[in-house]
């Protein structure tokens, strides 16, 4: 008998353990080579574990177990033949459950609490104040339990009875009040730990500004179809913000830095982390050397990374690193927020929703598509001058993209 011991592969550097999030197969199932058999959570991503060979699988770990990299989690009997006709026993299961069900109606047929409750209802009359409330709400006094002397219905009794009638709650109201307790995944626990450490270990501040999206709206409307036909990707907002950020990082290099103990590390490249919402939560895949990317390159790479996140195929390497993060809460309707730094980075830019608002332009009130932007930063290495100057530089790029982002020639800048 040839038995293969499947061990947990290393998802990436510095990761020593993972959690079995979900087994996609059952003990004793026949699996094909490269078939996904489990989803495992590391502290950075959720990854699929494929079968290394075909055969009958024996599970050696349960869902929720934390296992070390290199630990055996299942065995595969490679000599076992693929079984056929295994679905027949499953059809018998419903028949076995039908016998006890015949006795269940007898238990459910005797809802005798109603007569008992009726006997506890008030036999006395409501007070004048209580009668007024009950009449207004159309409530029968015989259906209200009186707590006054000799069972008299008081004003309080009437008010409590009226609350459910208005669709609210009362101390005696009934309804579903269940709770569900679910263990957080390794990824979610790690995110929580990192976010708390950021709040505790950094001197985080947030500065705000607003940008006028009129020119970007015009460029997208004018060149959207031509851009898509030539480059095979859409012309979105993220490419403009990414280019505006990389330009601002070159002007204010301390924003593109991190702190390591008593030392500051400056980067001469711009690896931009783009926050993407996926089934397992918020992921931050990285655009490497985004400062050298064209608009087409930014859009194509963001699209590719976003698809991987949503399909659960993003790798740890694709999320490792990053010198600055962009997050867009506007896709969920956020008007304004204070984004939290993605460690070990020192700053993050938050985008928000676009609202048509009246603004003053050359002494005239006009309606423009406006967006609030927020930049959170670590004040230990970034001073207020740099943070405000950086955000103003981003604003310049968004307000006037032709001059600052496209080199004065919009068609050439978009490679059209």
């Amino acid at each position: 008998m040839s038995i293969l011991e499947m061990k947990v592969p290393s998802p990436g550097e510095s990761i020593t353990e993972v959690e079995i999030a979900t087994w996609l197969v059952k003990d004793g199932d026949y699996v094909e080579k490269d078939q996904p058999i489990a989803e495992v959570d590391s502290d950075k991503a959720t990854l699929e574990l494929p079968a290394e060979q075909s055969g009958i699988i024996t599970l050696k770990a349960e869902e929720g177990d934390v296992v070390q990299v290199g630990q055996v989690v299942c065995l595969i009997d490679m000599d076992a033949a693929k079984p056929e006709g295994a679905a027949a026993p499953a059809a018998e299961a419903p028949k076995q459950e039908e016998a006890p069900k015949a006795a269940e109606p007898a238990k459910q047929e005797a809802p005798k609490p109603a007569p008992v409750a009726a006997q506890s209802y008030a036999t006395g009359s409501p007070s004048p104040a209580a009668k007024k409330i009950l009449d207004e709400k159309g409530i029968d006094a015989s259906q209200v339990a009186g707590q006054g002397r000799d069972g008299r219905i008081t004003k309080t009794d009437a008010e409590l009875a009226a609350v459910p009638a208005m669709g609210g709650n009362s101390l005696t109201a009934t309804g579903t009040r269940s709770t569900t307790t679910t263990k957080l995944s390794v990824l979610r626990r790690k995110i929580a730990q990192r976010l708390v450490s950021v709040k505790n270990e950094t001197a985080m501040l947030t500065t705000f500004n607003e940008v006028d999206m009129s020119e970007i709206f015009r460029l997208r409307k004018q060149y959207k179809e031509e851009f898509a036909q030539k480059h095979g990707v859409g012309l979105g907002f993220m490419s403009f913000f990414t280019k505006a950020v990389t330009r601002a990082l070159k002007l204010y290099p301390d924003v593109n830095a991190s702190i390591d103990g008593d030392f500051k590390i400056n980067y001469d490249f711009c690896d931009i982390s783009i926050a993407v919402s996926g089934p397992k939560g918020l992921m931050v895949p990285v655009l490497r050397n985004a400062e050298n990317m064209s608009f087409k390159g930014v859009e194509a790479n963001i699209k590719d990374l976003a698809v991987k996140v949503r399909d659960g195929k993003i790798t740890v390497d694709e999320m490792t690193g990053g010198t600055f993060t962009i997050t867009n809460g506007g896709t969920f309707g956020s008007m304004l927020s204070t984004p939290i730094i993605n460690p070990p980075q020192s700053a993050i830019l938050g985008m928000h929703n676009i609202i048509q608002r009246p603004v003053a332009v050359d002494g005239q009130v006009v309606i423009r598509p406006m967006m609030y932007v927020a930049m959170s930063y670590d004040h230990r290495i970034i001073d207020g001058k740099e943070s405000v100057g950086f955000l103003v530089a981003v604003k310049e790029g968004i307000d006037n993209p032709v001059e600052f982002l496209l080199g004065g020639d919009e068609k050439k800048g978009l490679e059209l």
Side-chain angles (χ1 to χ4, degrees):
M1 180 183 292
S2 299
I3 301 295
L4 171 69
E5 293 184 338
M6 272 199 59
K7 300 178 180 180
V8 178
S10 175
E13 187 180 353
S14 78
I15 298 177
T16 60
E17 62 183 22
V18 299
E19 181 179 293
I20 305 295
T22 307
W23 280 111
L24 305 177
V25 296
K26 298 188 293 293
D27 195 55
D29 280 358
Y30 185 88
V31 298
E32 301 284 355
K33 183 180 180 181
D34 296 328
Q35 172 188 340
I37 59 173
E39 288 183 349
V40 296
D41 285 340
S42 73
D43 59 7
K44 295 182 179 177
T46 298
L47 308 169
E48 284 186 346
L49 188 65
E52 296 176 7
Q53 294 293 337
S54 300
I56 298 291
I57 191 168
T58 302
L59 307 183
K60 292 297 184 181
E62 297 182 0
E63 291 184 359
D65 284 356
V66 176
V67 295
Q68 300 296 314
V69 170
Q71 180 177 332
V72 176
V73 289
C74 65
L75 305 177
I76 298 179
D77 181 0
M78 297 184 291
D79 292 339
K82 184 175 182 180
E84 296 183 9
E92 299 176 4
K95 295 181 181 178
Q96 297 174 355
E97 294 180 1
E98 286 177 8
K101 285 186 179 177
E104 288 180 10
K107 294 181 182 178
Q108 297 178 352
E109 253 180 49
K112 294 185 179 178
V116 175
Q119 293 174 4
S120 66
Y121 286 153
T123 56
S125 61
S127 69
K131 186 176 187 305
K132 181 180 179 182
I133 294 172
L134 296 177
D135 289 343
E136 288 176 350
K137 303 302 178 185
I139 301 173
D140 188 354
S142 65
Q143 301 300 311
V144 179
Q147 304 298 322
R149 186 175 181 179
D150 298 325
R152 188 171 179 81
I153 301 172
T154 65
K155 180 181 178 182
T156 301
D157 297 332
E159 289 174 341
L160 289 173
V163 173
M166 296 185 293
N169 295 310
S170 76
L171 296 177
T172 58
T174 59
T176 301
R177 295 176 58 79
S178 61
T179 60
T180 303
T181 302
T182 306
K183 184 179 180 181
L184 295 175
S185 67
V186 170
L187 176 61
R188 178 54 62 182
R189 297 200 301 269
K190 187 64 177 181
I191 290 173
Q193 180 184 341
R194 293 176 69 193
L195 294 182
V196 171
S197 70
V198 169
K199 296 289 287 184
N200 292 337
E201 298 172 10
T202 66
M204 194 174 77
L205 293 178
T206 305
T207 184
F208 304 92
N209 214 316
E210 61 180 356
V211 294
D212 186 343
M213 301 291 290
S214 300
E215 271 297 284
I216 292 179
F217 272 40
R218 179 189 68 80
L219 290 168
R220 292 184 72 236
K221 182 178 180 180
Q222 185 172 346
Y223 298 111
K224 185 177 181 180
E225 293 184 6
E226 187 178 352
F227 189 91
Q229 287 177 357
K230 181 167 183 180
H231 301 307
V233 289
L235 180 60
F237 296 129
M238 287 304 300
S239 53
F240 288 96
F241 275 89
T242 301
K243 299 298 289 183
V245 162
T246 56
R247 170 182 174 269
L249 289 175
K250 292 299 181 183
L251 295 174
Y252 297 91
D254 278 352
V255 179
N256 196 42
S258 63
I259 192 169
D260 183 10
D262 294 333
F263 298 89
K264 179 180 69 172
I265 303 171
N266 282 90
Y267 305 98
D268 62 358
F269 52 87
C270 300
D271 284 357
I272 306 299
S273 302
I274 305 292
V276 178
S277 180
K280 298 291 183 178
L282 203 64
M283 305 288 184
V284 279
V286 181
L287 298 179
R288 310 286 180 190
N289 288 107
E291 76 279 9
N292 298 328
M293 289 184 182
S294 62
F295 277 78
K296 170 197 171 183
V298 173
E299 294 290 355
N301 277 277
I302 289 178
K303 179 181 178 181
D304 179 59
L305 292 170
V307 169
K308 288 183 178 181
V309 167
R310 287 161 191 157
D311 292 346
K313 299 186 182 299
I314 195 74
T315 66
V316 173
D317 288 341
E318 288 171 318
M319 293 192 297
T320 302
T323 62
F324 186 93
T325 296
I326 302 175
T327 182
N328 185 5
T331 57
F332 306 107
S334 172
M335 178 182 179
L336 193 61
S337 66
T338 56
I340 193 164
I341 298 169
N342 179 24
Q345 299 170 21
S346 298
I348 181 173
L349 177 73
M351 300 165 56
H352 301 92
N353 61 356
I354 302 168
I355 300 294
Q356 296 284 339
R357 290 195 283 111
V359 294
V361 179
D362 296 329
Q364 301 292 321
V365 176
V366 296
I367 304 298
R368 293 288 179 85
M370 305 297 293
M371 176 197 289
Y372 289 119
V373 288
M375 175 189 160
S376 295
Y377 62 98
D378 190 346
H379 207 345
R380 293 179 299 170
I381 59 173
I382 303 173
D383 290 333
K385 177 182 177 182
E386 280 71 30
S387 64
V388 173
F390 173 88
L391 202 54
V392 169
V394 171
K395 174 179 171 62
E396 288 175 345
I398 300 302
D399 287 354
N400 193 351
V402 175
E403 177 182 350
F404 292 104
L405 307 181
L406 299 173
D409 187 334
E410 52 198 53
K411 295 205 67 170
K412 184 178 180 181
L414 295 172
E415 298 179 311
L416 299 176

